[in-house]
Amino acid sequence: MSLKLIHFPLTRSLRVAWAIHELGIDAEIETRPFDRPKLKEAEYLAMNPTGKTPVLFDGDKRIIESVAIIQYLSNRYADGRLSRKPSDSDYADYLQFMEFGEAGMGGYAGMLVAQTAILPEEQRIEAMRIWAINETKNCLNFLEEHLTGRDYLLDEFSLADISVGYILFLVKVTRNGNLMGDAMRAYYDRVTAREAWAKASALAP
Ligand SMILES: N[C@@H](CCC(=O)N[C@@H](CS)C(=O)NCC(=O)O)C(=O)O
């Protein structure tokens, strides 16, 4: 096995670094500064032609898409730990929340990041900012209801918490944590108190 993650702090590669530590997988993590223009240069495009982060290499095999990568790592290198199988009773919830973290919330969170943090103020569009906030709130309300009275999205910590937990991190770092309800805040504190999160989020170039 020769696994290598190209990691950029704060970005979706954090999901992968977090999963690597949770699963105790032996992988090289090459950490680079998150410099968006560099992701569009030939050296990086040769690794990930979409110019996005993350990218993981398993020998010659390249994989992009953070949620796909963490499932790959669990199923191929950790006996499916933190994943669920079709025969498991919580399989439907598992799939739902794995997808909800990125397909459901990722686009809105990305818009939130752009419209409240990344874009210079003069390039922000107020209607887009409000749209991103409202759609994010809608997603957070769904999670708030599900998490009320629960510690994790499933009965125990799983990859679904890594998928959703990372997006909540984006909501927090863009100073939109006020959109989160009480159950969500407690949940965020719980998942980010984990040792694997601490190790992954401390990675620096
Ligand atoms: N769905 C993809 C999203 C990848 C993505 O949008 N990554 C962002 C960072 S979190 C990125 O590379 N942004 C750079 C850019 O858009 O220029 C995944 O989960 O891997």
Side-chain angles (χ1 to χ4, degrees), residues 10-166:
L10 306 182
T11 76
R12 281 164 173 80
S13 58
L14 190 43
R15 274 194 183 117
V16 182
W18 188 3
I20 285 171
H21 287 297
E22 289 283 357
L23 295 167
I25 286 175
D26 183 16
E28 180 188 348
I29 302 180
E30 181 185 314
T31 305
R32 300 180 175 199
F34 183 45
D35 175 357
R36 289 182 67 223
K38 278 212 177 310
L39 297 182
K40 316 301 175 204
E41 288 177 4
E43 187 263 345
Y44 187 76
L45 290 174
M47 292 192 282
N48 183 349
T50 67
K52 302 275 181 190
T53 151
V55 58
L56 177 106
F57 293 93
D58 182 354
D60 293 341
K61 178 73 197 160
R62 168 182 70 208
I63 317 172
I64 62 170
E65 285 300 331
S66 57
V67 175
I69 296 171
I70 63 178
Q71 292 179 84
Y72 177 84
L73 291 174
S74 163
N75 288 322
R76 188 167 279 225
Y77 293 111
D79 297 321
R81 227 154 20 83
L82 305 183
S83 294
R84 292 294 182 274
K85 295 188 293 302
S87 55
D88 290 332
S89 58
D90 50 2
Y91 183 60
D93 279 348
Y94 171 72
L95 282 185
Q96 172 185 279
F97 287 115
M98 285 296 277
E99 292 293 326
F100 192 71
E102 185 60 22
M105 287 195 75
Y108 303 131
M111 186 60 67
L112 196 65
V113 171
Q115 295 294 335
T116 69
I118 286 191
L119 288 175
E121 290 209 9
E122 66 280 6
Q123 287 176 24
R124 294 181 196 168
I125 301 169
E126 184 59 6
M128 292 303 283
R129 189 185 69 82
I130 291 170
W131 178 77
I133 285 183
N134 286 340
E135 293 295 347
T136 302
K137 250 197 238 164
N138 183 42
C139 294
L140 292 174
N141 288 345
F142 167 64
L143 290 173
E144 179 76 17
E145 195 181 317
H146 180 79
L147 282 166
T148 301
R150 287 170 183 271
D151 284 349
Y152 301 107
L153 292 167
L154 307 181
D155 284 349
E156 301 173 338
F157 183 82
S158 71
L159 293 186
D161 297 301
I162 294 182
S163 178
V164 168
Y166 170 72

Side-chain angles (χ1 to χ4, degrees), residues 18 22 144 147 150-152 157 161 164-169 171-173 177-178 180-198 201:
W18 188 3
E22 289 283 357
E144 179 76 17
L147 282 166
R150 287 170 183 271
D151 284 349
Y152 301 107
F157 183 82
D161 297 301
V164 168
Y166 170 72
I167 286 295
L168 298 181
F169 166 72
V171 171
K172 290 276 281 194
V173 292
N178 60 312
M180 289 160 61
D182 292 345
M184 188 77 42
R185 280 170 224 244
Y187 168 77
Y188 181 79
D189 289 347
R190 189 174 304 118
V191 295
T192 56
R194 297 178 71 84
E195 202 182 329
W197 166 267
S201 59

